[in-house]
Amino acid sequence: MFQPRIPVNPLPTGFVTPLVQPTVIADIAPHHTDHAAACNHHHAQVPAPAPAPSSAVRLTPAGLAVVVAGGAGAVLVVGTVLVSMLLAVAVSAASVAICAVVLRSLLNGQRRQR
C-alpha cells in the first residue's frame, strides 16, 4: 500500500515501456580489437575545448552611458505613448458626453412640443 507505483510511458507507436532503469550495469569500458592497431593513417588530434567565457557583464564608462541613455529614451517613449493613449481616451469620453447632452436636449425638446 505504501510502496510507490512506477508509471508507464506510452509511446506514440503503441508500445508501452516502463520508466525503470536496468539494475545490471554491464562493463562499459571499450574493447580494443587487433585490427584497430593495424591502422596506418595519420589522424588529427582533437583540439582542446575553449575555456567558457565568464558570465559577468563588464561595461566601460562609454557603454554605461549608452545603456543609461537607452533606458531613459525607452522610458520617455513609453511615457509618451501612455500619455497619448490617456489623452485619446479623455477626448473620446468628452465627445461622447457632449453627444449625450445634445441628444438629451433634442429628445426633451421633442417631448415638450407634443
Side-chain angles (χ1 to χ4, degrees):
M1 180 175 161
F2 294 108
Q3 293 180 353
R5 296 177 190 243
I6 300 172
V8 293
N9 183 18
L11 296 175
T13 58
F15 297 113
V16 178
T17 57
L19 296 176
V20 179
Q21 299 294 328
T23 57
V24 178
I25 299 175
D27 182 17
I28 58 173
H31 297 286
H32 297 287
T33 58
D34 293 335
H35 63 81
C39 179
N40 292 329
H41 297 104
H42 298 287
H43 298 283
Q45 295 290 331
V46 177
S54 63
S55 62
V57 177
R58 294 187 180 111
L59 289 176
T60 62
L64 185 61
V66 168
V67 169
V68 168
V75 167
L76 289 176
V77 168
V78 169
T80 304
V81 169
L82 291 178
V83 167
S84 64
M85 289 173 63
L86 182 64
L87 183 63
V89 169
V91 168
S92 299
S95 65
V96 167
I98 291 171
C99 289
V101 168
V102 169
L103 285 174
R104 182 177 170 192
S105 68
L106 288 174
L107 291 175
N108 284 338
Q110 282 182 353
R111 286 183 190 160
R112 288 182 188 163
Q113 289 179 359
R114 284 186 178 182

